[in-house]
Amino acid sequence: MLLRCGKIGISTIILILVSFASYSHSARSDNLQFIVGGQNADEGDAPYQISLQTLLGRHLCGGAIISDRWLLTAGHCVSGYPADRLQVVTGTLQYAIPGAIYYPESIYLHCNYDTPKYHNDIALLRVNQSIVFDAHTQPVNLPIGPWAASGAQLLFTGWGTQSISGSTPARLQRVQQQYITSQTCKSLLSDYEDVELGPCHVCAYRQLNIGACHGDSGGPLVHEGILVGILNFFVPCAQGVPDVFMNIMFYRDWIRRVISGNAKCTQVHEQIIG
Ligand SMILES: *[C@@H]1O[C@H](CO)[C@@H](O)[C@H](O)[C@H]1NC(C)=O
């Protein structure tokens, strides 16, 4: 899996700079925002959803619980953060009112993650105690084989912004998106010439004014209870082009190897990548 998969260009870079700039703002912010055009999620819609936060409770990114000790998120969500500066909120529709809080003991950023192109933008976090599962807190299944992508309806959830400068959602938002082929995705993203899609990507789209925004990164894309993507890239925000996810099928082996302790590269304690 050494494909340089996922060359993403200028607009992502802008996006990332925006989010890093807001990371560095002092305390918690009033300028958090959420999925554009979503609906309030209900209890049980996405019990695997987590809010990745600073220790002050500032929401940074989404992610998904995949077992009692492991979470998946986007690489760019954790790059720059030592594990002991982050917390994981589970079991809630309101990230500011945690069901429970867990603490990462280690972060495994994909060995071939890089910047500024955001190849292999995926990371695993191991928390230092077992996540207690209940009606609001459950792991999501990983794909065990190819899924019926064609025409598939995909559920995306997040606490990202409602517009580029939108406000904090009271509640987790959900949006139903549709799988689109890599070819259609490329053509819809053709104004963004640096975007190069590969087998490591999944594209999802609904329509103009419905889609991902700041704070949604790392969030889960789910097909019939199976995690198929982790949000990598979007043009801020809901501009009528697809959202691009890291393809979990493609990273299954990497996930298995990291969890079993057989990953080629070691965990990232600080900013050492590779
Ligand atoms: C997990 O980490 C947190 C934060 O560092 C700490 O307060 C807590 O005691 C740790 N829990 C366990 C079981 O080690």
Side-chain angles (χ1 to χ4, degrees):
M1 296 300 170
L2 294 176
L3 292 177
R4 309 215 82 207
C5 209
K7 185 178 173 201
I8 288 296
I10 290 163
S11 21
T12 312
I13 295 163
I14 291 166
L15 160 69
I16 301 296
L17 292 176
V18 166
S19 39
F20 282 175
S22 56
Y23 286 174
S24 64
H25 287 165
S26 44
R28 59 213 319 141
S29 66
D30 298 321
N31 62 347
L32 296 180
Q33 314 118 27
F34 51 126
I35 285 179
V36 178
Q39 299 172 307
N40 285 339
D42 288 321
E43 293 294 350
D45 278 349
Y48 46 78
Q49 175 82 44
I50 62 110
S51 165
L52 184 66
Q53 306 184 345
T54 66
L55 296 178
L56 292 175
R58 174 171 161 69
H59 173 80
L60 299 172
C61 275
I65 302 169
I66 60 166
S67 77
D68 66 341
R69 293 294 286 266
W70 291 93
L71 314 158
L72 271 173
T73 188
H76 73 262
C77 291
V78 293
S79 170
Y81 278 99
D84 65 3
R85 297 283 190 79
L86 293 169
Q87 64 184 27
V88 172
V89 163
T90 63
T92 184
L93 294 174
Q94 296 181 263
Y95 71 84
I97 307 176
I101 302 180
Y102 296 94
Y103 297 92
E105 63 181 16
S106 42
I107 294 173
Y108 297 80
L109 190 54
H110 193 285
C111 309
N112 298 108
Y113 170 80
D114 63 18
T115 54
K117 290 180 174 167
Y118 302 96
H119 297 127
N120 304 298
D121 184 14
I122 191 164
L124 276 159
L125 272 60
R126 182 176 155 89
V127 291
N128 74 352
Q129 66 182 108
S130 287
I131 297 171
V132 177
F133 296 139
D134 59 23
H136 312 293
T137 313
Q138 289 291 323
V140 65
N141 294 315
L142 297 179
I144 54 171
W147 48 285
S150 176
Q153 294 296 314
L154 306 169
L155 175 64
F156 180 64
T157 44
W159 282 284
T161 64
Q162 192 176 29
S163 65
I164 289 180
S165 55
S167 57
T168 308
R171 191 156 163 174
L172 184 67
Q173 297 291 297
R174 56 171 287 157
V175 66
Q176 205 73 37
Q177 292 183 315
Q178 188 154 12
Y179 169 84
I180 57 170
T181 63
S182 184
Q183 200 175 4
T184 307
C185 192
K186 265 179 215 168
S187 70
L188 288 168
L189 285 167
S190 61
D191 286 348
Y192 305 90
E193 53 190 69
D194 276 354
V195 177
E196 186 185 288
L197 300 171
C200 60
H201 293 114
V202 172
C203 291
Y205 183 54
R206 169 83 172 271
Q207 63 185 66
L208 179 66
N209 295 327
I210 296 184
C213 201
H214 301 304
D216 283 324
S217 281
L221 184 71
V222 169
H223 174 57
E224 295 177 350
I226 293 172
L227 183 70
V228 298
I230 285 287
L231 183 63
N232 163 229
F233 166 78
F234 53 92
V235 178
C237 295
Q239 299 286 308
V241 295
D243 297 326
V244 183
F245 297 78
M246 300 319 296
N247 181 353
I248 300 304
M249 259 305 283
F250 186 88
Y251 290 103
R252 243 174 7 148
D253 287 348
W254 174 76
I255 293 167
R256 187 180 46 74
R257 277 186 281 115
V258 171
I259 289 180
S260 64
N262 292 315
K264 269 191 304 243
C265 64
T266 52
Q267 73 192 61
V268 178
H269 289 290
E270 290 174 61
Q271 274 304 283
I272 306 151
I273 295 165

